[in-house]
Amino acid sequence: TELLSLPCLHTLLAKNNRLGGPGSLPKGLGQAPLARSLRVLNLSGNRFSEVPPALLQLRGLRSLSLGGNRLHGIPPDIQELHSLEFLYLGGNFITAIPPELAKLPSLRYLVLCDNKIQSIPPQLAQLHSLRSLSLHNNLLTYLPREILNLVHLDELSLRGNPLVVRFVRDLTYNPPSLQELAGRTVKTRNVPYAPSDLPESLVRYLSLASNCPNPKCGGVYFDSCVRQIKFVDFCGKYRLPLMHYLCSPECSSPFSSASQSSTSQSESDSEDEAGVAAHRMQKVLLG
């Protein structure tokens, strides 16, 4: 508990110990003078099975390392660490990434390697400050299209994932509801309406329309869309499978789910979309 009264302590390294049980961290950590001064905290190589709630009160933290513990998840309250620039959670048992992680405006380095993560939430595209994203040795079979919006990303590490050793092509589609069909008609034909014309729930629903990425379509979708793996070219060498959303099966090449040809129209369209963002990526680590 004596640590709590150190008002100038900037860095605390307590890695490779046996912390993680009851009483591992002193009570009152979030309200102590230490909480205001601490900038770097390294608790890697310990025995934490969850991120201690007290750590989420260290609002001045810029670097947090919890690699090599026994974590099974990331708490949504991680978003409270607004000053965080470096987050290391590699070598745990994490299966999912909460969308709230995208609410860290200063995050530059995110390390999630050596976990059991199966998908990446598209919200991570909101991490506009991100420079490096380490995802190697997980269970990823695709990446969200939105990852192309990480305009400052210099390094993306993906080796040891199924998407690297076993490319997957898939197409799923649920028929649209009558509400969706009506909403599509309103949006594509620019039918005028005012908030006073419709119930509030329908006005909110119409505001959720997403544009179909097929440049030859011009349609929209709400809840019902085609989920499909699309291959894009990164660094002129690596082909990455990204999750692609289309408004209907007609917007996809009929061979996209079966053919392995790299010359299909759907792949060409996807590569064109990625062209602007692909040149920004300096390093993609696949092997």
Side-chain angles (χ1 to χ4, degrees), residues 19-36:
L19 300 174
S24 291
L25 300 178
K27 293 182 179 179
L29 175 60
Q31 292 75 39
L34 176 65
R36 294 188 290 272

Side-chain angles (χ1 to χ4, degrees), residues 80-181:
E80 301 298 330
L81 301 179
H82 297 297
S83 301
L84 208 59
E85 299 178 4
F86 178 91
L87 179 59
Y88 190 103
L89 297 174
N92 283 286
F93 303 95
I94 297 169
T95 58
I97 303 173
E100 289 81 4
L101 189 63
K103 297 181 180 180
L104 298 176
S106 303
L107 196 63
R108 295 166 60 88
Y109 301 92
L110 177 58
V111 182
L112 295 167
C113 60
D114 299 293
N115 278 286
K116 299 181 181 298
I117 299 168
Q118 299 183 39
S119 63
I120 304 299
Q123 288 86 351
L124 284 195
Q126 300 170 20
L127 291 172
H128 301 300
S129 298
L130 202 63
R131 298 291 190 275
S132 177
L133 178 58
S134 296
L135 295 167
H136 52 271
N137 298 331
N138 276 285
L139 302 175
L140 299 171
T141 56
Y142 68 88
L143 299 176
R145 278 182 73 245
E146 289 81 0
I147 202 169
L148 297 176
N149 296 327
L150 294 174
V151 296
H152 297 297
L153 195 65
D154 294 327
E155 180 173 320
L156 174 63
S157 179
L158 293 168
R159 67 182 184 274
N161 279 283
L163 67 80
V164 176
V165 298
R166 177 175 53 85
F167 286 131
V168 178
R169 293 170 178 266
D170 189 21
L171 185 149
T172 59
Y173 184 64
N174 293 319
S177 64
L178 291 178
Q179 176 175 279
E180 170 132 357
L181 290 174

Side-chain angles (χ1 to χ4, degrees), residues 183-192 218 220:
R184 291 186 182 191
T185 300
V186 169
K187 285 294 184 178
T188 56
R189 299 189 179 183
N190 295 316
V191 177
V220 300

Side-chain angles (χ1 to χ4, degrees), residues 145 170-174 180 184 210-217 219-230 243-253 256 266 269-270 273:
R145 278 182 73 245
D170 189 21
L171 185 149
T172 59
Y173 184 64
N174 293 319
E180 170 132 357
R184 291 186 182 191
S210 298
N211 294 323
C212 181
N214 184 347
K216 301 177 182 178
C217 173
V220 300
Y221 63 87
F222 295 88
D223 303 312
S224 180
C225 61
V226 176
R227 298 173 66 251
Q228 186 180 31
I229 302 296
K230 307 294 288 187
M243 184 59 80
H244 196 72
Y245 298 91
L246 299 162
C247 69
S248 72
E250 287 73 23
C251 289
S252 173
S253 165
S256 59
S266 60
D269 291 344
S270 184
E273 291 172 359

Side-chain angles (χ1 to χ4, degrees), residues 6-26:
L6 299 177
C8 299
L9 189 64
H10 181 280
T11 301
L12 177 58
L13 307 180
K15 59 183 180 179
N16 300 327
N17 284 286
R18 298 182 180 179
L19 300 174
S24 291
L25 300 178

Side-chain angles (χ1 to χ4, degrees), residues 228-269:
Q228 186 180 31
I229 302 296
K230 307 294 288 187
F231 287 76
V232 300
D233 230 353
F234 271 54
C235 299
K237 180 178 180 181
Y238 302 112
R239 300 182 64 77
L240 300 184
L242 304 187
M243 184 59 80
H244 196 72
Y245 298 91
L246 299 162
C247 69
S248 72
E250 287 73 23
C251 289
S252 173
S253 165
F255 305 102
S256 59
S257 61
S259 172
Q260 298 296 318
S261 170
S262 63
T263 60
S264 71
Q265 181 63 42
S266 60
E267 286 191 2
S268 298
D269 291 344

